[in-house]
Amino acid sequence: MSSYKHFIVAALSISAISVSSPAALQCAPVPDSVTLNPNGKLYSPFTFNHAKHIQSIKECADCHHHTTGTLVLAPNCARCHQNSSPTAVVSCKGCHLAAPFSPETLAAKRADKQRYHLDKMGLKGAMHQNCIGCHNKLGNGPTGCQDCHPRTKEGAAFYSTNRKGAKPAHAEEE
Amino acid sequence: MKRRNFLKACLIGGTTIALGKTNKGWASGSFEGYPEAMGVLVDTTRCIGCRSCEAACNKEQKLPEPDTSFDDPSVFEHDRRPTAKAYTVVNRYQKEQPSGPVYRKVQCNHCNEPACLTSCFVNAYTKTKEGAVIYNSKVCVGCRNCMIACPFNAPGYDYDSATNPIVKKCILCYDTRLKYGKPPACVEICPQEALTFGHRADLIKLAHERIRATPDRYVDHVYGEKEVGGTSWLYLAPVGFDKLGFDTTLSNDPIISNVKDFLGMVPMVLSIWPALFSGIHLLCKNQEHDGHGHDTDSNQEDTKP
Ligand code: SF4
Ligand code: SF4
């Protein structure tokens, strides 16, 4: 956990962050918990227990790629990044766009002929694949949608869970 | 194949006799699709079968309530195909594999050279420059040639609407989203980014790049790049496409090549259709068989429901 200094304030803006311990002035504090999906319509916001994940995972880079901590080992990334120092950006949102397929994003991609990371995932996809992928791999984390975030009333209507004869997969009483 | 043979028999039989060959110059496979056409790359290795895309489509297209909720996994027990009430469905394959099941979203693939379009007598279908294949329910006469012609079984038929029976299928959210450059509703909601929206040409590059970067993850084929002349929906898969319910016997030639003989007469039929149809109707109703031209007429008749 030597690389907390790389957690930069500006970058830590995934969403509302509740900070429990103050850190050195020029360094961003490492949040113990992060509120994800703060403006969720179909699914409620939920609290991601960052502290717990730090304890059990140990390697920041397992989630934060080459942004912090250990050097990247994934062969595809290492081709370019094996000697890269951690980048300043730490939060998922710092790289992964919330609207990866918006007309603006697509136009920007087309205009930038030098762009290398063309296939960079959007924010929602990156987080879900990171979370669900790891939970699946380790076999000890939640993988169902509502295991992490319960549906709102609107969400239940959207998925038609409340209609007669409907059989919700994750029986959810609201 | 059988369906198309049927189509050929029905349509070419009647129309070539009536009008002879055309010289409209449809060269098979010559059309690469509109250069600015958009598309969707479906990465089946990412899909978790949450069916959010089905729910999003239902809301966006204002389709009727589903029979069971969109998180009812029992639907995976049978293969489903799109219907007039569900323009997209997710099916599950390879459930017995240790690597886990593979899910595949199915919808109209928005062909570069759509068989539905070419089979339609009244020009109800349009291939837009954005890549979507849309249809005009106002001119549709409900003959269902498109359902027979489509190699992917995409169009569904709304039997409930007696006054205005209409063929229905995915239109890539053309009216509400694609027209404005926005991704379709299914793409936007997908939590796994199993669906990638973009320019079709870029998506093909992207797909091959994914295969190249992680060759263990994918079979080396992008379904829809070439099939039936190319489609706007493209697929990546971890196992042979035949194992995921894809028709791997389709040729790279557009279906249009099989039926091009009758295409040139479409506008003409459009103008003579009402007369033609009522004529046939009268013939069948009032006359005993054995009349001259019976073959031609009955062939035409076959194309109606
Ligand atoms: S998939 Fe079928 S309905 Fe869709 S464009 Fe192609 S032929 Fe037409
Ligand atoms: S929303 Fe995405 S992950 Fe869910 S079933 Fe549809 S394609 Fe698969």
Side-chain angles (χ1 to χ4, degrees):
Chain A
M1 235 70 17
S2 60
S3 46
Y4 284 170
K5 64 174 182 290
H6 297 298
F7 285 81
I8 292 180
V9 184
L12 263 176
S13 51
I14 297 175
S15 55
I17 292 167
S18 60
V19 180
S20 60
S21 57
L25 265 181
Q26 73 275 41
C27 304
V30 179
D32 279 346
S33 65
V34 181
T35 304
L36 295 175
N37 197 31
N39 307 314
K41 283 210 178 77
L42 305 177
Y43 294 91
S44 330
F46 69 105
T47 307
F48 170 72
N49 192 334
H50 195 217
K52 198 173 134 204
H53 282 84
I54 291 174
Q55 267 167 22
S56 57
I57 293 173
K58 305 276 190 317
E59 289 299 353
C60 304
D62 279 358
C63 298
H64 292 279
H65 313 310
H66 67 100
T67 53
T68 183
T70 43
L71 292 174
V72 278
L73 298 172
N76 279 324
C77 312
R79 271 187 273 138
C80 298
H81 291 294
Q82 57 176 340
N83 296 320
S84 303
S85 55
T87 63
V89 178
V90 173
S91 77
C92 309
K93 188 176 149 181
C95 288
H96 299 277
L97 302 176
F101 308 124
S102 70
E104 297 76 30
T105 311
L106 292 181
K109 264 193 196 175
R110 280 221 136 178
D112 184 358
K113 298 270 180 266
Q114 306 284 322
R115 185 187 293 248
Y116 179 74
H117 289 139
L118 276 173
D119 198 12
K120 192 169 68 191
M121 229 171 281
L123 183 61
K124 184 169 59 173
M127 296 189 83
H128 281 122
Q129 285 200 36
N130 219 359
C131 298
I132 300 174
C134 194
H135 290 176
N136 267 331
K137 203 165 74 197
L138 302 178
N140 61 356
T143 52
C145 311
Q146 294 179 82
D147 297 345
C148 285
H149 36 120
R151 267 188 201 141
T152 58
K153 280 227 165 60
E154 202 179 330
F158 189 85
Y159 286 87
S160 305
T161 10
N162 289 342
R163 70 181 300 268
K164 256 205 191 120
K167 297 174 232 150
H170 316 278
E172 237 264 309
E173 292 81 45
E174 287 208 45
Chain B
M1 276 310 183
K2 270 189 207 121
R3 283 164 169 252
R4 274 198 306 284
N5 288 340
F6 169 64
L7 174 80
K8 269 160 74 178
C10 291
L11 298 180
I12 297 176
T15 55
T16 45
I17 289 167
L19 295 150
K21 288 214 167 187
T22 67
N23 53 356
K24 236 191 156 183
W26 294 95
S28 73
S30 62
F31 182 54
E32 294 275 301
Y34 288 102
E36 288 304 299
M38 309 301 287
V40 178
L41 173 64
V42 184
D43 192 330
T44 58
T45 67
R46 292 182 179 181
C47 178
I48 52 172
C50 69
R51 298 180 63 210
S52 296
C53 45
E54 289 186 40
C57 177
N58 179 280
K59 300 298 173 301
E60 183 77 15
Q61 298 299 330
K62 302 193 170 59
L63 299 174
E65 281 274 299
D67 293 336
T68 62
S69 73
F70 284 111
D71 46 14
D72 178 358
S74 70
V75 297
F76 292 132
E77 269 144 42
H78 309 281
D79 255 22
R80 294 178 299 153
R81 49 150 296 187
T83 66
K85 295 193 175 82
Y87 296 171
T88 185
V89 293
V90 179
N91 285 332
R92 181 171 67 190
Y93 300 93
Q94 300 267 300
K95 5 187 190 276
E96 65 295 326
Q97 288 322 93
S99 48
V102 180
Y103 297 93
R104 170 195 164 201
K105 181 184 179 297
V106 187
Q107 70 297 305
C108 164
N109 283 333
H110 297 274
C111 307
N112 288 346
E113 299 183 60
C116 56
L117 184 154
T118 53
S119 73
C120 180
F121 287 98
V122 293
N123 284 344
Y125 284 90
T126 309
K127 173 82 177 172
T128 74
K129 67 179 190 330
E130 295 89 349
V133 176
I134 58 171
Y135 62 93
N136 180 353
S137 59
K138 294 208 180 77
V139 301
C140 174
V141 293
C143 74
R144 283 173 280 171
N145 271 334
C146 52
M147 297 176 66
I148 297 160
C150 172
F152 303 111
N153 259 326
Y157 192 74
D158 189 356
Y159 292 92
D160 289 355
S161 168
T163 46
N164 190 20
I166 279 305
V167 170
K168 292 187 152 186
K169 67 163 196 74
C170 161
I171 54 165
L172 252 176
C173 293
Y174 181 75
D175 299 336
T176 48
R177 291 162 171 270
L178 190 68
K179 208 160 66 178
Y180 308 106
K182 289 199 244 160
C186 53
V187 170
E188 197 167 277
I189 201 168
C190 178
Q192 285 282 95
E193 215 169 299
L195 313 174
T196 301
F197 174 74
H199 294 271
R200 181 176 186 271
D202 297 347
L203 292 177
I204 290 170
K205 282 188 221 145
L206 212 77
H208 284 292
E209 179 56 25
R210 272 188 210 172
I211 295 171
R212 196 192 63 80
T214 41
D216 297 342
R217 197 178 169 118
Y218 304 105
V219 293
D220 189 6
H221 183 73
V222 181
Y223 193 93
E225 180 183 0
K226 302 253 170 67
E227 278 79 4
V228 298
T231 59
S232 260
W233 280 67
L234 305 153
Y235 287 85
L236 284 171
V239 292
F241 283 92
D242 54 323
K243 300 198 173 66
L244 305 181
F246 286 87
D247 187 345
T248 49
T249 66
L250 294 174
S251 95
N252 290 347
D253 284 337
I255 305 297
I256 194 178
S257 312
N258 295 331
V259 291
K260 61 184 166 188
D261 281 348
F262 77 86
L263 289 175
M265 50 80 73
V266 166
M268 182 156 179
V269 166
L270 185 60
S271 53
I272 62 171
W273 179 261
L276 190 67
F277 184 58
S278 43
I280 294 164
H281 184 72
L282 284 174
L283 256 173
C284 298
K285 215 177 157 190
N286 300 334
Q287 264 187 295
E288 287 303 318
H289 296 140
D290 302 325
H292 293 295
H294 170 82
D295 281 354
T296 309
D297 291 336
S298 64
N299 278 339
Q300 287 284 2
E301 172 68 14
D302 280 346
T303 66
K304 289 300 293 178

